[in-house]
Coordinates of all heavy atoms in Angstrom, one line a residue:
M52 N 11.5 -16.8 3.1 CA 10.6 -16.0 3.8 C 10.2 -14.9 2.8 O 9.0 -14.3 2.9 CB 11.1 -15.5 5.1 CG 10.0 -14.9 5.9 SD 10.6 -15.0 7.7 CE 9.1 -14.7 8.5
G53 N 11.1 -14.5 1.9 CA 10.7 -13.4 0.9 C 9.6 -13.8 0.1 O 8.8 -13.0 -0.3
D54 N 9.5 -15.1 -0.3 CA 8.4 -15.6 -1.1 C 7.2 -15.4 -0.3 O 6.1 -15.1 -1.0 CB 8.6 -17.1 -1.3 CG 9.8 -17.3 -2.3 OD1 10.3 -16.4 -2.8 OD2 10.2 -18.5 -2.6
Q55 N 7.1 -15.6 0.9 CA 5.9 -15.4 1.7 C 5.4 -13.9 1.7 O 4.3 -13.7 1.8 CB 6.1 -15.8 3.2 CG 6.1 -17.4 3.4 CD 6.2 -17.7 4.8 OE1 7.1 -17.1 5.6 NE2 5.5 -18.6 5.3
Y56 N 6.5 -13.1 1.7 CA 6.0 -11.6 1.6 C 5.2 -11.4 0.4 O 4.3 -10.5 0.5 CB 7.3 -10.8 1.6 CG 6.9 -9.3 1.5 CD1 6.3 -8.7 2.6 CD2 7.1 -8.6 0.3 CE1 6.0 -7.4 2.5 CE2 6.7 -7.3 0.2 CZ 6.2 -6.6 1.3 OH 5.8 -5.3 1.1
L57 N 5.4 -12.0 -0.8 CA 4.7 -11.8 -2.0 C 3.2 -12.1 -1.6 O 2.3 -11.4 -2.1 CB 5.2 -12.6 -3.1 CG 6.5 -12.2 -3.6 CD1 7.0 -13.2 -4.7 CD2 6.5 -10.8 -4.2
D58 N 2.9 -13.2 -0.9 CA 1.6 -13.5 -0.5 C 1.0 -12.5 0.5 O -0.1 -12.0 0.4 CB 1.5 -14.9 0.2 CG 1.8 -16.0 -0.8 OD1 1.6 -15.8 -2.0 OD2 2.4 -17.1 -0.4
W59 N 1.9 -12.0 1.4 CA 1.4 -11.1 2.4 C 1.1 -9.8 1.8 O 0.1 -9.1 2.2 CB 2.5 -10.9 3.5 CG 2.7 -12.1 4.4 CD1 1.9 -13.2 4.6 CD2 4.0 -12.3 5.1 NE1 2.5 -14.1 5.4 CE2 3.7 -13.5 5.7 CE3 5.1 -11.7 5.2 CZ2 4.7 -14.1 6.6 CZ3 6.1 -12.3 6.1 CH2 5.9 -13.5 6.7
V60 N 1.9 -9.3 1.0 CA 1.7 -8.1 0.3 C 0.3 -8.1 -0.5 O -0.3 -7.1 -0.7 CB 2.9 -7.4 -0.5 CG1 3.0 -8.1 -1.9 CG2 2.7 -6.0 -0.7
Q61 N 0.1 -9.2 -1.3 CA -1.1 -9.4 -1.9 C -2.3 -9.2 -1.1 O -3.4 -8.6 -1.4 CB -1.2 -10.7 -2.7 CG -0.4 -10.7 -4.0 CD -0.8 -9.7 -5.0 OE1 0.0 -8.7 -5.3 NE2 -1.9 -9.8 -5.5
E62 N -2.2 -9.9 0.1 CA -3.3 -9.8 1.1 C -3.5 -8.4 1.6 O -4.6 -7.8 1.7 CB -3.0 -10.7 2.3 CG -4.1 -10.8 3.3 CD -3.7 -11.8 4.4 OE1 -3.2 -12.9 4.0 OE2 -3.9 -11.5 5.6
D63 N -2.4 -7.7 1.9 CA -2.4 -6.3 2.3 C -3.0 -5.4 1.2 O -3.7 -4.4 1.5 CB -1.0 -5.7 2.8 CG -0.7 -6.3 4.1 OD1 -1.5 -6.8 5.0 OD2 0.6 -6.3 4.4
L64 N -2.7 -5.6 0.0 CA -3.3 -4.8 -1.1 C -4.7 -5.0 -1.1 O -5.5 -4.1 -1.4 CB -2.5 -5.1 -2.4 CG -1.2 -4.6 -2.6 CD1 -0.5 -5.2 -3.8 CD2 -1.1 -3.0 -2.7
G65 N -5.2 -6.2 -0.9 CA -6.6 -6.4 -0.8 C -7.3 -5.7 0.3 O -8.3 -5.0 0.2
K66 N -6.6 -5.7 1.4 CA -7.1 -4.9 2.7 C -7.1 -3.4 2.4 O -8.1 -2.7 2.7 CB -6.2 -5.2 3.9 CG -6.4 -6.6 4.4 CD -5.4 -6.8 5.6 CE -5.4 -8.1 6.2 NZ -4.4 -8.3 7.3
I67 N -6.1 -2.8 1.8 CA -6.0 -1.4 1.5 C -7.0 -1.1 0.5 O -7.6 0.0 0.5 CB -4.6 -0.9 1.3 CG1 -4.4 0.6 1.6 CG2 -4.2 -1.2 -0.2 CD1 -3.1 1.1 1.7
D68 N -7.3 -1.9 -0.5 CA -8.3 -1.7 -1.5 C -9.6 -1.6 -0.9 O -10.4 -0.7 -1.2 CB -8.3 -2.8 -2.5 CG -7.5 -2.5 -3.8 OD1 -7.1 -1.3 -4.1 OD2 -7.2 -3.4 -4.6
A69 N -9.9 -2.6 0.0 CA -11.2 -2.5 0.7 C -11.4 -1.3 1.5 O -12.5 -0.7 1.6 CB -11.4 -3.7 1.6
A70 N -10.3 -0.8 2.2 CA -10.3 0.3 3.1 C -10.5 1.6 2.2 O -11.3 2.5 2.5 CB -9.1 0.5 3.9
F71 N -9.9 1.7 1.0 CA -10.0 2.7 0.1 C -11.4 2.8 -0.5 O -12.0 3.9 -0.6 CB -9.0 2.7 -1.0 CG -9.1 3.8 -1.9 CD1 -8.8 5.1 -1.6 CD2 -9.6 3.7 -3.3 CE1 -8.8 6.2 -2.4 CE2 -9.8 4.8 -4.0 CZ -9.4 6.0 -3.7
V72 N -12.0 1.7 -0.7 CA -13.4 1.7 -1.3 C -14.4 2.3 -0.3 O -15.2 3.1 -0.6 CB -13.9 0.3 -1.7 CG1 -15.4 0.2 -2.0 CG2 -13.1 -0.2 -3.0
A73 N -14.2 1.9 1.0 CA -14.9 2.3 2.1 C -14.7 4.0 2.2 O -15.7 4.7 2.5 CB -14.7 1.7 3.4
L74 N -13.5 4.3 2.1 CA -13.1 5.8 2.2 C -13.8 6.5 1.1 O -14.4 7.6 1.4 CB -11.6 6.0 2.1 CG -11.1 7.4 2.0 CD1 -11.4 8.1 3.3 CD2 -9.6 7.4 1.8
K75 N -13.8 6.1 -0.1 CA -14.4 6.8 -1.2 C -16.0 6.9 -1.0 O -16.5 7.9 -1.4 CB -14.2 6.1 -2.6 CG -12.8 6.4 -3.1 CD -12.6 5.8 -4.5 CE -13.4 6.5 -5.5 NZ -13.1 6.1 -6.9
A76 N -16.6 5.9 -0.5 CA -17.9 5.8 -0.3 C -18.4 6.6 0.9 O -19.6 7.0 1.1 CB -18.6 4.4 -0.1
A77 N -17.5 6.9 1.9 CA -17.9 7.6 3.2 C -18.4 9.0 3.0 O -17.9 9.7 2.0 CB -16.7 7.5 4.1
T78 N -19.2 9.4 3.9 CA -19.6 10.8 4.0 C -19.1 11.2 5.4 O -18.7 10.5 6.2 CB -21.1 10.9 3.9 OG1 -21.7 10.2 4.8 CG2 -21.6 10.5 2.4
G79 N -19.3 12.5 5.6 CA -18.8 13.1 6.8 C -17.4 13.3 6.9 O -16.7 13.6 6.0
D80 N -16.7 13.2 8.1 CA -15.3 13.5 8.2 C -14.4 12.4 7.7 O -13.2 12.6 7.5 CB -15.1 13.8 9.7 CG -15.0 12.6 10.7 OD1 -15.3 11.5 10.3 OD2 -14.8 12.9 11.9
R81 N -14.9 11.2 7.5 CA -14.1 10.1 7.0 C -12.9 9.6 7.9 O -11.9 9.0 7.4 CB -13.5 10.4 5.5 CG -14.6 10.6 4.5 CD -14.0 11.1 3.3 NE -14.9 10.9 2.1 CZ -14.6 11.5 1.0 NH1 -13.6 12.2 0.7 NH2 -15.5 11.3 -0.1
A82 N -12.9 10.1 9.2 CA -11.8 9.9 10.0 C -11.6 8.3 10.2 O -10.3 7.8 10.1 CB -12.1 10.5 11.3
Q83 N -12.6 7.5 10.4 CA -12.3 6.0 10.6 C -11.8 5.4 9.3 O -10.9 4.6 9.4 CB -13.7 5.4 11.1 CG -13.5 3.9 11.3 CD -12.4 3.5 12.3 OE1 -12.5 4.1 13.5 NE2 -11.5 2.7 11.9
E84 N -12.4 5.9 8.3 CA -12.0 5.2 7.0 C -10.5 5.5 6.6 O -9.8 4.7 6.1 CB -13.0 5.6 5.8 CG -14.4 5.1 6.0 CD -15.2 5.9 6.9 OE1 -14.8 7.0 7.4 OE2 -16.4 5.4 7.3
V85 N -10.2 6.8 6.8 CA -8.8 7.1 6.4 C -7.8 6.5 7.5 O -6.7 6.2 7.0 CB -8.6 8.7 6.4 CG1 -8.5 9.4 7.7 CG2 -7.5 9.0 5.5
D86 N -8.3 6.3 8.7 CA -7.4 5.5 9.6 C -7.2 4.1 9.2 O -6.1 3.5 9.4 CB -8.0 5.6 11.0 CG -7.1 5.0 12.1 OD1 -6.0 5.5 12.2 OD2 -7.5 4.0 12.7
D87 N -8.3 3.5 8.7 CA -8.1 2.1 8.2 C -7.1 2.1 7.0 O -6.3 1.2 7.0 CB -9.5 1.6 7.6 CG -10.5 1.4 8.8 OD1 -10.1 1.4 10.0 OD2 -11.7 1.3 8.5
V88 N -7.2 3.0 6.2 CA -6.1 3.0 5.0 C -4.8 3.2 5.7 O -3.8 2.6 5.3 CB -6.4 4.2 4.1 CG1 -5.3 4.4 3.1 CG2 -7.7 3.9 3.3
F89 N -4.7 4.1 6.7 CA -3.4 4.4 7.3 C -2.8 3.1 8.0 O -1.6 2.8 7.8 CB -3.5 5.5 8.4 CG -2.3 5.8 9.2 CD1 -1.4 6.8 8.8 CD2 -2.0 5.0 10.3 CE1 -0.3 7.0 9.6 CE2 -0.9 5.3 11.1 CZ 0.0 6.2 10.6
Q90 N -3.6 2.4 8.7 CA -3.2 1.2 9.4 C -2.6 0.1 8.5 O -1.5 -0.4 8.7 CB -4.3 0.6 10.2 CG -4.8 1.5 11.4 CD -3.7 1.8 12.4 OE1 -2.8 1.0 12.7 NE2 -3.7 3.1 12.8
V91 N -3.3 -0.1 7.4 CA -2.6 -1.0 6.3 C -1.5 -0.5 5.8 O -0.5 -1.3 5.6 CB -3.8 -1.4 5.3 CG1 -3.2 -2.4 4.4 CG2 -5.0 -2.0 5.9
S92 N -1.4 0.7 5.4 CA -0.2 1.3 4.8 C 1.0 1.3 5.8 O 2.0 1.0 5.3 CB -0.5 2.8 4.4 OG 0.6 3.4 3.9
H93 N 0.7 1.5 7.0 CA 1.7 1.5 8.1 C 2.3 0.1 8.2 O 3.5 -0.1 8.2 CB 1.2 1.9 9.4 CG 2.1 2.1 10.4 ND1 2.6 1.1 11.3 CD2 2.9 3.1 10.8 CE1 3.5 1.5 12.1 NE2 3.7 2.7 11.9
D94 N 1.4 -0.9 8.0 CA 1.9 -2.3 8.2 C 2.8 -2.6 7.0 O 3.8 -3.3 7.0 CB 0.8 -3.3 8.2 CG 0.1 -3.3 9.6 OD1 0.6 -2.8 10.5 OD2 -1.1 -3.8 9.6
M95 N 2.3 -2.2 5.8 CA 3.0 -2.5 4.5 C 4.4 -1.9 4.6 O 5.3 -2.4 4.1 CB 2.2 -2.1 3.3 CG 0.9 -2.9 3.1 SD 0.0 -2.3 1.7 CE 0.9 -2.9 0.4
K96 N 4.4 -0.6 5.0 CA 5.6 0.2 5.2 C 6.7 -0.6 6.1 O 7.8 -0.8 5.6 CB 5.3 1.5 5.8 CG 6.5 2.4 6.2 CD 6.2 3.6 6.8 CE 5.6 3.5 8.2 NZ 6.6 3.6 9.2
G97 N 6.3 -1.1 7.1 CA 7.2 -1.8 8.0 C 7.6 -3.2 7.4 O 8.8 -3.5 7.5
Q98 N 6.7 -3.9 6.8 CA 7.1 -5.2 6.2 C 7.9 -5.1 5.0 O 8.8 -5.9 4.8 CB 5.8 -5.9 5.8 CG 5.0 -6.3 7.1 CD 3.6 -6.9 6.7 OE1 3.3 -7.0 5.5 NE2 2.8 -7.3 7.7
G99 N 7.7 -4.0 4.2 CA 8.4 -3.9 3.0 C 9.9 -3.8 3.1 O 10.7 -4.6 2.5
G100 N 10.3 -3.0 4.0 CA 11.8 -2.9 4.3 C 12.3 -4.1 4.8 O 13.5 -4.4 4.6
S101 N 11.5 -4.8 5.7 CA 12.1 -6.0 6.3 C 12.5 -7.1 5.3 O 13.3 -8.0 5.5 CB 11.1 -6.5 7.3 OG 10.9 -5.7 8.4
F102 N 11.8 -7.0 4.1 CA 11.9 -8.1 3.0 C 12.6 -7.6 1.8 O 12.6 -8.2 0.7 CB 10.7 -8.7 2.7 CG 10.1 -9.6 3.9 CD1 9.1 -9.0 4.7 CD2 10.5 -10.8 4.2 CE1 8.6 -9.7 5.8 CE2 10.1 -11.5 5.2 CZ 9.1 -11.0 6.1
G103 N 13.2 -6.3 1.9 CA 13.9 -5.9 0.7 C 13.0 -5.1 -0.3 O 13.5 -4.9 -1.5
Y104 N 11.8 -4.8 0.0 CA 10.9 -4.1 -0.9 C 10.9 -2.6 -0.5 O 9.9 -2.1 0.1 CB 9.6 -4.8 -0.9 CG 9.5 -6.1 -1.6 CD1 9.9 -7.2 -0.8 CD2 9.1 -6.2 -2.8 CE1 10.0 -8.4 -1.4 CE2 9.1 -7.5 -3.4 CZ 9.6 -8.6 -2.7 OH 9.5 -9.9 -3.3
D105 N 12.0 -2.0 -0.7 CA 12.1 -0.6 -0.2 C 11.2 0.4 -0.8 O 10.8 1.4 -0.2 CB 13.6 -0.1 -0.4 CG 14.6 -1.0 0.5 OD1 14.2 -1.5 1.5 OD2 15.8 -1.1 0.0
L106 N 10.8 0.2 -2.0 CA 9.8 1.1 -2.6 C 8.5 1.0 -2.0 O 7.8 2.0 -1.7 CB 9.8 1.0 -4.1 CG 9.0 1.9 -4.9 CD1 9.6 3.4 -4.6 CD2 9.1 1.6 -6.4
I107 N 8.0 -0.3 -1.6 CA 6.7 -0.3 -0.8 C 6.9 0.5 0.5 O 6.0 1.2 0.9 CB 6.4 -1.8 -0.6 CG1 6.0 -2.6 -1.9 CG2 5.3 -1.9 0.5 CD1 4.7 -2.2 -2.5
T108 N 8.0 0.4 1.1 CA 8.3 1.0 2.3 C 8.2 2.6 2.1 O 7.6 3.3 2.9 CB 9.6 0.7 3.0 OG1 9.6 -0.6 3.4 CG2 10.0 1.5 4.2
A109 N 8.8 3.0 1.1 CA 8.9 4.5 0.8 C 7.5 5.1 0.4 O 7.1 6.0 0.9 CB 9.9 4.8 -0.5
I110 N 6.7 4.3 -0.4 CA 5.4 4.6 -0.8 C 4.5 4.7 0.5 O 3.8 5.7 0.6 CB 4.8 3.8 -1.9 CG1 5.7 4.0 -3.2 CG2 3.4 4.3 -2.2 CD1 5.3 2.9 -4.2
G111 N 4.6 3.6 1.2 CA 3.8 3.5 2.5 C 4.1 4.7 3.4 O 3.2 5.1 4.1
N112 N 5.4 5.0 3.6 CA 5.8 5.9 4.5 C 5.2 7.3 4.0 O 4.7 8.1 4.8 CB 7.3 6.1 4.5 CG 7.7 7.2 5.5 OD1 7.4 7.1 6.7 ND2 8.6 8.1 5.1
Q113 N 5.3 7.6 2.7 CA 4.8 8.9 2.2 C 3.2 9.0 2.4 O 2.7 10.1 2.7 CB 5.1 9.0 0.7 CG 6.6 9.4 0.4 CD 7.0 10.6 1.1 OE1 6.4 11.7 1.0 NE2 8.1 10.5 1.9
L114 N 2.6 7.8 2.2 CA 1.1 7.8 2.3 C 0.8 8.1 3.8 O -0.1 8.9 4.1 CB 0.5 6.5 1.8 CG -0.9 6.3 2.1 CD1 -1.8 7.4 1.4 CD2 -1.4 5.0 1.5
C115 N 1.5 7.4 4.7 CA 1.3 7.6 6.2 C 1.5 9.1 6.5 O 0.7 9.7 7.3 CB 2.1 6.7 7.0 SG 1.7 4.9 7.0
R116 N 2.7 9.7 6.1 CA 3.0 11.1 6.4 C 1.9 12.0 5.9 O 1.5 13.0 6.6 CB 4.4 11.4 5.9 CG 5.6 10.6 6.4 CD 5.8 10.6 7.9 NE 4.9 9.9 8.8 CZ 4.9 8.6 9.0 NH1 5.9 7.7 8.5 NH2 4.0 8.0 9.8
M117 N 1.5 11.8 4.7 CA 0.4 12.7 4.1 C -0.9 12.5 5.0 O -1.5 13.6 5.3 CB 0.1 12.2 2.7 CG -1.0 13.1 2.0 SD -1.5 12.4 0.4 CE -2.6 11.1 1.1
I118 N -1.3 11.3 5.3 CA -2.5 11.2 6.1 C -2.4 11.8 7.4 O -3.4 12.5 7.9 CB -2.9 9.6 6.3 CG1 -3.3 9.1 4.9 CG2 -3.9 9.5 7.3 CD1 -3.5 7.5 4.9
E119 N -1.2 11.8 8.1 CA -1.0 12.4 9.3 C -1.2 13.9 9.4 O -1.6 14.5 10.2 CB 0.3 12.0 9.8 CG 0.5 10.7 10.5 CD 2.0 10.3 10.7 OE1 2.9 10.9 10.3 OE2 2.0 9.3 11.5
K120 N -0.9 14.5 8.3 CA -1.0 15.9 8.0 C -2.4 16.4 7.6 O -2.6 17.6 7.7 CB 0.0 16.4 7.0 CG 1.5 16.2 7.5 CD 2.5 16.6 6.3 CE 3.9 16.4 6.8 NZ 4.8 16.7 5.7
V121 N -3.2 15.6 7.2 CA -4.5 15.9 6.7 C -5.6 16.2 7.9 O -5.7 15.3 8.7 CB -5.1 14.9 5.8 CG1 -6.5 15.2 5.4 CG2 -4.2 14.8 4.6
D122 N -6.2 17.3 7.9 CA -7.2 17.6 8.8 C -8.6 17.2 8.4 O -9.4 16.6 9.1 CB -7.3 19.2 9.1 CG -6.0 19.6 9.9 OD1 -5.5 18.8 10.7 OD2 -5.5 20.7 9.7
N123 N -8.9 17.4 7.1 CA -10.2 17.1 6.5 C -9.8 16.4 5.2 O -9.0 16.8 4.4 CB -10.9 18.4 6.1 CG -11.3 19.1 7.3 OD1 -11.8 18.5 8.4 ND2 -11.1 20.4 7.4
V124 N -10.5 15.2 5.1 CA -10.3 14.3 3.9 C -11.3 14.7 2.9 O -12.5 14.3 3.0 CB -10.3 12.8 4.3 CG1 -10.1 12.0 3.0 CG2 -9.3 12.5 5.3
G125 N -10.9 15.4 1.8 CA -11.8 15.7 0.8 C -11.4 15.0 -0.6 O -10.6 14.1 -0.4
D126 N -11.9 15.4 -1.7 CA -11.7 14.7 -2.9 C -10.2 14.7 -3.3 O -9.7 13.8 -3.8 CB -12.4 15.4 -4.1 CG -14.0 15.0 -3.9 OD1 -14.3 14.2 -3.1 OD2 -14.8 15.8 -4.5
A127 N -9.5 15.9 -3.1 CA -8.0 15.9 -3.5 C -7.3 15.0 -2.6 O -6.4 14.2 -3.1 CB -7.5 17.4 -3.2
E128 N -7.6 14.8 -1.4 CA -6.8 13.8 -0.5 C -7.1 12.4 -0.9 O -6.3 11.5 -0.9 CB -7.2 14.1 1.0 CG -6.7 15.4 1.6 CD -7.4 16.6 1.1 OE1 -8.6 16.5 0.7 OE2 -6.9 17.7 1.3
V129 N -8.4 12.2 -1.2 CA -8.9 10.8 -1.6 C -8.1 10.5 -2.9 O -7.6 9.3 -3.1 CB -10.3 10.7 -1.9 CG1 -10.7 9.4 -2.5 CG2 -11.1 10.8 -0.5
N130 N -8.0 11.5 -3.9 CA -7.2 11.2 -5.1 C -5.8 10.9 -4.8 O -5.2 10.0 -5.5 CB -7.4 12.3 -6.1 CG -8.7 12.5 -6.7 OD1 -9.6 11.4 -6.7 ND2 -9.1 13.7 -7.1
A131 N -5.2 11.6 -3.9 CA -3.8 11.5 -3.6 C -3.6 10.0 -3.0 O -2.6 9.4 -3.3 CB -3.2 12.5 -2.7
I132 N -4.5 9.7 -2.1 CA -4.4 8.3 -1.5 C -4.5 7.3 -2.6 O -3.7 6.3 -2.6 CB -5.4 8.1 -0.5 CG1 -5.2 9.0 0.8 CG2 -5.7 6.6 -0.1 CD1 -6.3 9.1 1.7
E133 N -5.3 7.4 -3.6 CA -5.5 6.5 -4.7 C -4.2 6.3 -5.5 O -3.9 5.2 -5.9 CB -6.7 7.0 -5.5 CG -7.0 6.0 -6.6 CD -8.3 6.3 -7.3 OE1 -8.6 7.5 -7.4 OE2 -9.0 5.4 -7.8
V134 N -3.5 7.4 -5.7 CA -2.3 7.5 -6.4 C -1.3 6.6 -5.8 O -0.6 5.8 -6.3 CB -1.7 8.9 -6.7 CG1 -0.3 8.9 -7.1 CG2 -2.7 9.6 -7.7
H135 N -1.2 6.8 -4.4 CA -0.2 6.0 -3.6 C -0.5 4.5 -3.7 O 0.4 3.7 -3.8 CB -0.2 6.5 -2.1 CG 0.4 7.8 -1.9 ND1 -0.1 9.0 -2.2 CD2 1.8 8.0 -1.4 CE1 0.8 10.0 -1.9 NE2 1.9 9.4 -1.4
I136 N -1.7 4.2 -3.5 CA -2.2 2.7 -3.5 C -1.9 2.2 -4.9 O -1.3 1.1 -5.1 CB -3.6 2.6 -3.1 CG1 -3.8 3.0 -1.7 CG2 -4.2 1.2 -3.4 CD1 -5.3 3.1 -1.2
G137 N -2.1 2.9 -5.9 CA -1.9 2.5 -7.3 C -0.4 2.3 -7.5 O -0.1 1.3 -8.2
A138 N 0.5 3.1 -7.0 CA 1.9 2.9 -7.1 C 2.3 1.7 -6.5 O 3.2 0.9 -7.0 CB 2.6 4.2 -6.5
M139 N 1.7 1.3 -5.2 CA 2.2 0.1 -4.6 C 1.7 -1.1 -5.4 O 2.4 -2.1 -5.6 CB 1.6 0.1 -3.2 CG 2.2 0.9 -2.2 SD 1.8 0.7 -0.5 CE 0.2 1.7 -0.4
K140 N 0.5 -1.0 -6.0 CA 0.0 -2.1 -6.9 C 0.9 -2.3 -8.1 O 1.2 -3.5 -8.4 CB -1.4 -1.9 -7.3 CG -2.4 -1.9 -6.2 CD -3.8 -1.6 -6.9 CE -5.0 -1.8 -5.9 NZ -6.2 -1.4 -6.6
R141 N 1.2 -1.2 -8.7 CA 2.2 -1.4 -9.9 C 3.5 -2.1 -9.6 O 3.9 -2.9 -10.3 CB 2.3 -0.1 -10.6 CG 1.2 0.7 -11.1 CD 0.3 0.1 -12.1 NE -0.7 -0.9 -11.6 CZ -1.8 -0.5 -11.0 NH1 -2.1 0.7 -10.8 NH2 -2.8 -1.4 -10.6
Y142 N 4.0 -1.6 -8.5 CA 5.3 -2.2 -8.1 C 5.1 -3.6 -7.8 O 6.1 -4.4 -8.2 CB 5.8 -1.3 -6.8 CG 7.0 -1.9 -6.3 CD1 8.3 -1.6 -7.0 CD2 7.3 -2.5 -5.1 CE1 9.6 -2.2 -6.5 CE2 8.4 -3.0 -4.6 CZ 9.6 -2.8 -5.3 OH 10.8 -3.3 -4.9
Q143 N 4.1 -4.0 -7.1 CA 3.9 -5.4 -6.7 C 3.7 -6.2 -8.0 O 4.2 -7.3 -8.1 CB 2.7 -5.5 -5.8 CG 2.4 -6.9 -5.4 CD 3.5 -7.7 -4.8 OE1 4.6 -7.2 -4.4 NE2 3.3 -9.1 -4.8
E144 N 3.0 -5.7 -9.0 CA 2.7 -6.5 -10.2 C 4.0 -6.7 -10.9 O 4.2 -7.8 -11.4 CB 1.6 -5.6 -11.1 CG 0.3 -5.6 -10.5 CD -0.6 -4.6 -11.2 OE1 -0.1 -4.0 -12.3 OE2 -1.8 -4.6 -10.9
R145 N 4.8 -5.7 -11.0 CA 6.1 -5.9 -11.6 C 6.9 -7.0 -10.9 O 7.6 -7.8 -11.5 CB 6.9 -4.5 -11.5 CG 8.1 -4.6 -12.4 CD 9.0 -3.4 -12.1 NE 9.7 -3.7 -10.8 CZ 10.6 -2.9 -10.3 NH1 11.1 -2.0 -10.9 NH2 11.2 -3.3 -9.1
N146 N 7.0 -6.9 -9.5 CA 7.7 -8.0 -8.9 C 7.1 -9.3 -9.2 O 8.0 -10.3 -9.2 CB 7.7 -7.6 -7.3 CG 8.7 -6.5 -7.1 OD1 9.8 -6.4 -7.6 ND2 8.3 -5.7 -6.1
L147 N 5.8 -9.5 -9.2 CA 5.2 -10.8 -9.4 C 5.6 -11.3 -10.8 O 6.0 -12.5 -11.0 CB 3.7 -10.7 -9.3 CG 3.2 -10.7 -7.8 CD1 1.6 -10.5 -7.8 CD2 3.5 -11.9 -7.0
R148 N 5.6 -10.4 -11.9 CA 5.9 -10.9 -13.2 C 7.4 -11.3 -13.2 O 7.6 -12.4 -13.7 CB 5.8 -9.7 -14.1 CG 4.3 -9.4 -14.5 CD 4.3 -8.5 -15.7 NE 4.8 -7.2 -15.6 CZ 4.2 -6.2 -15.0 NH1 3.1 -6.2 -14.6 NH2 5.0 -5.0 -15.0
R149 N 8.3 -10.6 -12.6 CA 9.6 -11.0 -12.4 C 9.8 -12.3 -11.7 O 10.7 -13.2 -12.1 CB 10.5 -9.9 -11.7 CG 10.7 -8.7 -12.6 CD 11.5 -7.7 -11.9 NE 12.1 -6.7 -12.7 CZ 12.9 -5.7 -12.4 NH1 13.2 -5.6 -11.1 NH2 13.2 -4.8 -13.3
Y150 N 9.2 -12.4 -10.6 CA 9.3 -13.6 -9.8 C 8.8 -14.9 -10.6 O 9.5 -15.9 -10.6 CB 8.3 -13.6 -8.6 CG 8.4 -14.8 -7.8 CD1 9.4 -15.2 -6.9 CD2 7.3 -15.6 -7.7 CE1 9.5 -16.2 -6.1 CE2 7.2 -16.8 -6.9 CZ 8.4 -17.1 -6.2 OH 8.3 -18.3 -5.4
F151 N 7.7 -14.8 -11.4 CA 7.2 -15.9 -12.1 C 8.0 -16.2 -13.3 O 8.0 -17.3 -13.9 CB 5.7 -15.8 -12.4 CG 4.9 -16.1 -11.3 CD1 4.1 -15.0 -10.5 CD2 4.8 -17.3 -10.5 CE1 3.5 -15.3 -9.5 CE2 4.1 -17.6 -9.4 CZ 3.4 -16.5 -8.9
R152 N 8.7 -15.2 -13.8 CA 9.7 -15.4 -14.9 C 11.0 -16.1 -14.5 O 11.7 -16.6 -15.2 CB 10.1 -14.1 -15.6 CG 9.0 -13.6 -16.6 CD 9.5 -12.4 -17.5 NE 10.4 -11.5 -16.8 CZ 10.3 -10.3 -16.6 NH1 9.1 -9.8 -17.0 NH2 11.2 -9.5 -16.0
G153 N 11.1 -16.0 -13.1 CA 12.3 -16.6 -12.6 C 13.6 -15.7 -12.5 O 14.7 -16.2 -12.3
D154 N 13.3 -14.4 -12.6 CA 14.4 -13.5 -12.4 C 15.0 -13.6 -11.0 O 14.2 -13.7 -10.0 CB 13.9 -12.0 -12.6 CG 13.6 -11.8 -14.1 OD1 13.7 -12.6 -14.9 OD2 13.1 -10.6 -14.3
A155 N 16.3 -13.7 -10.9 CA 17.0 -13.8 -9.6 C 16.7 -12.7 -8.6 O 16.4 -12.9 -7.5 CB 18.5 -14.1 -9.8
A156 N 16.9 -11.5 -9.1 CA 16.6 -10.4 -8.2 C 15.4 -9.6 -8.6 O 15.4 -8.6 -9.3 CB 18.0 -9.4 -8.4
F157 N 14.3 -10.0 -8.0 CA 13.1 -9.5 -8.3 C 12.6 -8.4 -7.5 O 11.6 -7.8 -7.7 CB 12.0 -10.6 -8.5 CG 11.7 -11.4 -7.3 CD1 10.8 -10.9 -6.4 CD2 12.4 -12.5 -7.0 CE1 10.5 -11.6 -5.2 CE2 12.1 -13.3 -5.8 CZ 11.2 -12.8 -5.0
A158 N 13.2 -8.2 -6.4 CA 12.8 -7.2 -5.4 C 13.0 -5.8 -5.8 O 13.6 -5.3 -6.6 CB 13.4 -7.4 -4.0

């Protein structure tokens, strides 16, 4: 089932990327767009820990907590969200490389 998680997280990264693109393009209060990012991040946070990907859980948790504290989403907040998403992507890329090399403990 851990192998399936690699597929799921790839799908979730696609979803969070799409939500982030919409967030960057949005005007106004960006409430719906930031909530879309939050929802995917929240799902990733929960799934990560269930499958031993504790860093995905930690990054997702930090992203969720940051979003919860934000009243207005400006450029600084968008940049911080981008950093969190980038960290999740880098971690996943590292895990995929290890998995395809056949490393036993790739999580």
